[in-house]
């Protein structure tokens, strides 16, 4: 491609699928169900929907605006809008860094999923297998650093292969294929879940909020997750927005993407809890819900083998389209900024992500005693994997989102902002600006502070946490 002529999405649907592909990931199918389980079900879902609408969506839209108006990578889009390097470039830099760090350990979890997919395909979760052995599978996997390294590397190669092929021919094409398949598989699982005994209980658990179960922790967790699940705060949606042409109606697109993302999380929740409740299990299984609880249930179910394949293939696709967006955010910067070209840049960044990922591959085995003293920030010493996760989820994503909303709400030239919307969409602009100026910074600011341990006394004093 000629220098200076930026690649663009081929079709509107392609963009929607790619951006939804980024949003819909492990956050929806792994994290959302388990945190919902921990925080009391319906009431958490209720708060989560509120957070998506009030803080997630406006920040998502802001990122699209910065990218589309800037027509550059996450860093240089700010420079384009500001007419040169300013402190705002740092926000872009933080995004690129966050996307890179996130990729390094997201690909490790995706590696575990590759393992489970392989196990499912070879029939390890089909009925009659030993549930005890399956329960130990996660532990065995985490104990084996070399094997995780291999899986992690394999997953990164897949991701690099797609990013190398560019926006239209790689990312958009992959999303065009993978996302409909993901929707199809999930829909089938969802329909199937209605045949399960636990389905009624699952629906009730998820959709009838019990207000006495409302906790401040639940609210804060819901706000934080709204960021993670919409992929905001990491420069990803700035980058994807920069491949948009001027005609795109962004408000409509952002709403559609947020709706799709939410729908998928809810469907996944129904599927998972229908299975869990069919066996009279507790909903609050925590992070190992899909890696340990579900597989042990698959073997006890009619057709569990097929079900397990569908489920883990679904997760693989979800993880892949999200990882692609993280890699692309970093690649985009270096492609714009150097003369190296997309393929070599992708290989280099992918390789570096692999190297940093080694620290996560070995976090639960060789390096498990190697804890980083971050009590001041996070309240405890952490192995690398957990440290990276906390840095990204608790610090960088809220901070990135906070700064982007401040930028668009307070700093971005009003004329420029108006130009980003169709005449019809402009009537919502005052509401958007109000939200970005006050509501988002305050709410996100609280999430950010809550993520830091040394602010705990303030929250305790206010009676918000015990
Ligand atoms: N939204 C993705 C998920 O739910 C994670 C993600 C976060 C991707 C930030 C890109 C940027 O898994």
């Amino acid at each position: 491609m000629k220098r200076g002529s930026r690649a663009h999405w081929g079709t509107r649907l392609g963009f929607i699928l790619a951006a939804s592909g980024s949003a819909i990931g492990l956050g929806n199918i792994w994290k959302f169900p388990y945190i919902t389980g921990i925080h009391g079900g319906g009431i958490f879902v209720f708060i989560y929907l509120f957070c998506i609408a009030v803080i997630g969506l406006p920040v998502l839209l802001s990122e699209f605006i910065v990218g589309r108006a800037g027509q550059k990578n996450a860093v240089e889009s700010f420079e384009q809008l500001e007419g040169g390097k300013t402190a705002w470039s740092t926000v872009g830099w933080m995004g690129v860094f966050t996307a890179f760090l996130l990729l390094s350990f997201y690909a490790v979890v995706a590696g575990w999923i590759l393992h489970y997919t392989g196990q499912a395909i070879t029939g390890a979760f089909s009925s009659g297998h030993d549930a005890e052995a399956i329960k130990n599978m996660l532990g065995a996997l985490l104990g084996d650093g070399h094997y995780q390294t291999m899986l992690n590397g394999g997953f990164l190669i897949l991701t690099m292969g797609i990013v190398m092929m560019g926006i239209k021919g790689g990312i958009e094409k992959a999303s065009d294929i993978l996302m409909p398949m993901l929707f199809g598989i999930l829909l089938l699982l969802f329909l199937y879940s209605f045949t399960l005994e636990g389905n009624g209980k699952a629906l009730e658990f998820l959709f009838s909020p019990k207000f006495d179960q409302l906790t401040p922790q639940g609210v804060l967790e819901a706000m934080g997750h709204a960021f993670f699940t919409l992929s905001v705060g990491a420069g990803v949606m700035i980058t994807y927005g920069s491949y948009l042409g001027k005609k795109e109606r962004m408000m409509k697109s952002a709403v559609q993407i947020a709706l799709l993302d939410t729908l998928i999380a809810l469907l996944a929740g129904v599927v998972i809890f229908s299975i869990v409740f069919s066996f009279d299990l507790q909903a609050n299984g925590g992070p190992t819900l899909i890696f340990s609880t579900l597989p042990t249930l698959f073997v006890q179910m009619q057709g569990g083998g097929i079900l397990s394949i569908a489920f883990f293939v679904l997760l693989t696709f979800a993880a892949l389209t999200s990882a692609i967006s993280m890699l692309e955010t970093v690649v985009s910067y270096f492609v714009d900024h150097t003369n190296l070209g997309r393929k070599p840049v992708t290989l280099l960044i992918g390789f570096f992500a692999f190297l940093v990922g080694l620290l996560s591959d070995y976090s639960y085995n060789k390096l498990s005693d190697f804890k980083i003293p971050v009590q001041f920030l996070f309240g405890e010493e952490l192995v690398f994997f957990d440290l990276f996760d906390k840095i990204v989820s608790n610090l960088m994503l809220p901070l990135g989102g906070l700064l982007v909303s401040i930028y668009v709400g307070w700093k971005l030239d009003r004329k420029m902002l108006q130009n980003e919307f169709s005449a019809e969409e402009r009537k919502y602009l005052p509401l958007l600006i109000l939200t970005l100026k006050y509501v988002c910074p305050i709410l996100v600011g609280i999430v950010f502070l809550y993520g830091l341990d040394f602010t705990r006394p303030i929250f305790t004093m206010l009676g918000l946490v015990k």
Side-chain angles (χ1 to χ4, degrees):
M1 181 166 314
K2 285 201 308 290
R3 236 174 120 70
S5 68
R6 192 168 189 73
H8 282 100
W9 303 108
T11 65
R12 182 182 131 77
L13 181 68
F15 160 65
I16 299 279
L17 290 178
S20 315
S22 169
I24 297 165
L26 300 175
N28 303 60
I29 302 166
W30 169 43
K31 199 163 175 195
F32 174 75
Y34 93 70
I35 55 180
T36 302
I38 291 175
H39 292 290
I43 185 64
F44 181 82
V45 173
F46 182 80
I47 305 281
Y48 168 77
L49 295 178
F50 177 81
C51 294
I52 291 280
V54 175
I55 53 178
L57 182 60
V59 180
L60 175 64
L61 188 52
S62 303
E63 292 209 1
F64 284 154
I65 291 170
V66 171
R68 208 250 312 249
Q71 289 290 308
K72 289 268 181 185
N73 56 74
V75 180
E76 287 169 312
S77 279
F78 283 102
E79 291 169 8
Q80 203 67 24
L81 296 177
E82 288 299 292
K85 280 195 184 28
T86 65
W88 290 106
S89 316
T90 321
V91 181
W93 265 115
M94 281 168 40
V96 172
F97 168 76
T98 307
F100 176 80
L101 192 61
L102 176 56
L103 176 64
S104 81
F105 68 87
Y106 201 89
V108 175
V109 182
W112 305 345
I113 288 167
L114 283 186
H115 169 75
Y116 276 79
T117 308
Q119 291 291 310
I121 291 172
T122 53
F125 306 131
S126 43
S127 48
H129 276 73
D130 180 13
E132 232 10 75
I134 292 171
K135 218 179 250 158
N136 299 330
M137 192 182 273
L138 184 64
L141 182 60
L142 292 181
D144 190 343
H146 296 332
Y147 182 47
Q148 285 186 79
T149 302
M150 230 180 69
L151 293 166
N152 174 13
F155 180 81
L156 279 172
I157 288 173
L158 274 178
T159 312
M160 289 191 283
I162 294 169
V163 171
M164 255 184 209
M165 290 188 280
I167 306 307
K168 231 191 277 187
I171 300 178
E172 184 168 345
K173 203 176 236 163
S175 310
D176 281 349
I177 298 168
L178 294 175
M179 293 312 287
M181 280 168 64
L182 181 148
F183 297 142
I185 296 175
L186 187 57
L187 195 63
L188 287 178
L189 286 173
F190 176 70
L191 294 176
Y192 173 78
S193 77
F194 280 82
T195 66
L196 297 173
E197 223 175 286
N199 181 261
K201 237 173 144 182
L203 291 175
E204 199 201 305
F205 178 70
L206 288 170
F207 299 111
S208 70
K210 305 214 173 24
F211 283 86
D212 56 332
Q213 303 232 0
L214 181 68
T215 62
Q217 271 107 330
V219 175
L220 293 164
E221 181 102 41
M223 289 203 247
H225 189 61
F227 269 73
F228 187 83
T229 192
L230 290 179
S231 303
V232 293
V236 166
M237 293 303 191
I238 299 182
T239 308
Y240 273 21
S242 75
Y243 301 130
L244 275 175
K246 278 288 167 207
K247 285 199 306 283
E248 192 58 46
R249 291 175 53 189
M250 280 187 303
M251 226 175 237
K252 187 169 150 203
S253 307
V255 170
Q256 285 171 337
I257 291 160
L259 280 177
L260 263 179
D261 182 72
T262 307
L263 180 73
I264 298 297
L266 294 175
L267 293 184
V270 172
V271 171
I272 290 171
F273 287 118
S274 295
I275 298 175
V276 169
F277 289 139
S278 295
F279 290 88
D280 269 334
L281 291 181
Q282 292 294 322
N284 56 1
T288 57
L289 190 63
I290 64 160
F291 291 114
S292 181
T293 315
L294 269 196
T296 54
L297 301 182
F298 285 138
V299 292
Q300 301 174 51
M301 293 169 75
Q302 269 284 316
I306 301 271
L307 218 57
S308 67
I309 296 175
F311 184 76
F312 285 110
V313 168
L314 172 78
L315 265 167
T316 305
F317 290 174
L320 186 58
T321 48
S322 296
I324 287 171
S325 72
M326 299 166 203
L327 181 57
E328 175 58 28
T329 299
V330 189
V331 166
S332 178
Y333 175 76
F334 287 98
V335 168
D336 285 352
H337 217 72
T338 61
N339 278 321
L340 285 175
R342 173 167 285 269
K343 288 200 172 103
V345 166
T346 308
L347 282 175
L348 272 172
I349 307 290
F351 182 63
F352 279 123
F354 174 74
L355 289 183
V356 176
L358 289 173
L359 295 172
S360 296
D361 290 321
Y362 290 99
S363 279
Y364 295 111
N365 39 78
K366 288 210 166 51
L367 296 176
S368 61
D369 289 332
F370 197 89
K371 298 205 168 141
I372 300 91
V374 281
Q375 294 91 329
F376 174 69
L377 279 177
F378 302 121
E380 53 188 332
E381 298 181 331
L382 296 171
V383 292
F384 281 110
F385 181 98
D386 295 335
L387 175 70
F388 295 161
D389 179 26
K390 290 251 187 217
I391 291 179
V392 170
S393 311
N394 293 15
L395 293 185
M396 298 307 280
L397 295 182
L399 190 59
L402 177 75
L403 293 171
V404 169
S405 70
I406 292 178
Y407 180 73
V408 175
W410 291 90
K411 182 71 182 47
L412 184 64
D413 181 64
R414 281 287 168 271
K415 267 251 127 28
M416 241 187 223
L417 183 58
Q418 269 189 2
N419 286 341
E420 291 302 307
F421 293 98
S422 66
E424 204 182 307
E425 290 180 333
R426 274 185 209 150
K427 60 175 180 280
Y428 300 108
L429 216 51
L431 180 67
L432 176 70
I433 293 175
L434 192 78
T435 315
L436 290 174
K437 268 187 149 161
Y438 303 103
V439 183
C440 293
I442 293 172
L443 293 183
V444 182
I446 295 174
V447 181
F448 176 69
L449 291 176
Y450 174 71
L452 299 169
D453 194 68
F454 59 84
T455 64
R456 243 352 112 83
I458 307 174
F459 286 86
T460 317
M461 212 168 67
L462 296 172
L464 289 174
V465 293
K466 282 194 274 314

